[in-house]
Amino acid sequence: MAVTPYRALLVVVSLAVLTGCASTSSQNASRDAGDPYFARDLPGLPGGWDPMMSPVDNPILEARRLGNPPPALVRQALLAQHERWEGTPYRLGGSSQHGVDCSALVQNVFAETFRLSLPRTTGEQAHEGRPVSRDELAPGDLVFFRPPGIYRHVGIYIGDGRFLHASSSRGVMISKLNNSYWRRYYWQARRALAPSHLAQRLLSDVDA
């Protein structure tokens, strides 16, 4: 069958579109591979986490079955929340997945995961529980920073020197405490509840 000029033009355009998509994917992969955030060595969650998932797929039940201690259970739950909130943009005053600020993220995670009500603002959260030294940090502790400007910043320590937070520049993500920026502006840490108590709340909610 003869190929008309119109059909030939369609073939050329289709190939150009396909080539463009492949090029964009390759560029994104290269960018992500070179970004320390995307290269973080965090354990994956089997199939993600959703409160409506069956017990077989729930990573919290799986962690308990393996006999993990409370800090490991708390860490697993916080990583599950990271999967849920990851990529949510930062918005001062926001409290949803359309946009959230740092203290609202902390408040939401504690309410949803541990059924623990925390104050709304960073200033109020900075007085919760008891202070803990940096070398005594455990998963679930609140970590506070005093960067330049009038606002304070808060995140949730997840272990291995990392914390979950809503970054004003990149939204909800996980960062390293020893990153030069966060190390410079580290302020204090507070323990609203010990990991054992957080784990009890977590497990009682799963069993309900």
Side-chain angles (χ1 to χ4, degrees):
M1 182 175 67
V3 178
T4 66
Y6 177 74
R7 185 180 298 276
L9 179 60
L10 283 179
V11 170
V12 171
V13 170
S14 298
L15 288 174
V17 170
L18 290 174
T19 302
C21 291
S23 175
T24 300
S25 299
S26 175
Q27 291 171 358
N28 287 341
S30 298
R31 179 199 64 194
D32 293 352
D35 189 330
Y37 171 65
F38 291 95
R40 66 190 186 279
D41 53 345
L42 292 174
L45 292 170
W49 180 79
D50 189 313
M52 301 303 292
M53 295 179 78
S54 70
V56 174
D57 295 327
N58 191 318
I60 305 305
L61 287 179
E62 177 65 14
R64 180 175 63 176
R65 185 183 68 80
L66 296 174
N68 284 332
L73 291 174
V74 172
R75 172 184 169 84
Q76 195 79 347
L78 292 173
L79 288 173
Q81 283 286 353
H82 170 248
E83 289 290 314
R84 177 181 176 184
W85 287 88
E86 183 179 16
T88 299
Y90 179 90
R91 182 165 67 86
L92 184 62
S95 59
S96 73
Q97 289 182 298
H98 296 295
V100 68
D101 62 29
C102 61
S103 58
L105 175 69
V106 169
Q107 185 185 52
N108 274 290
V109 167
F110 269 77
E112 294 170 1
T113 308
F114 308 114
R115 294 177 293 110
L116 181 62
S117 178
L118 293 181
R120 172 62 179 84
T121 69
T122 305
E124 293 172 315
Q125 292 174 3
H127 297 286
E128 282 294 294
R130 68 175 183 85
V132 291
S133 64
R134 184 164 176 165
D135 58 3
E136 293 177 333
L137 284 171
D141 289 343
L142 305 181
V143 287
F144 296 88
F145 306 85
R146 287 194 287 200
I150 62 174
Y151 296 110
R152 302 295 179 252
H153 190 68
V154 61
I156 308 171
Y157 187 71
I158 64 172
D160 292 338
R162 294 175 168 88
F163 66 103
L164 170 66
H165 67 126
S167 163
S168 60
S169 60
R170 300 179 61 179
V172 176
M173 61 181 293
I174 288 173
S175 297
K176 294 182 178 181
L177 277 177
N178 65 0
N179 168 282
S180 59
Y181 180 86
W182 298 115
R183 184 173 65 247
R184 181 184 312 137
Y185 297 115
Y186 182 85
W187 173 24
Q188 66 163 328
R190 308 285 299 189
R191 181 166 297 164
L193 277 181
S196 57
H197 293 155
L198 291 177
Q200 287 173 3
R201 286 172 171 264
L202 179 67
L203 294 176
S204 64
D205 188 51
V206 170
D207 290 333

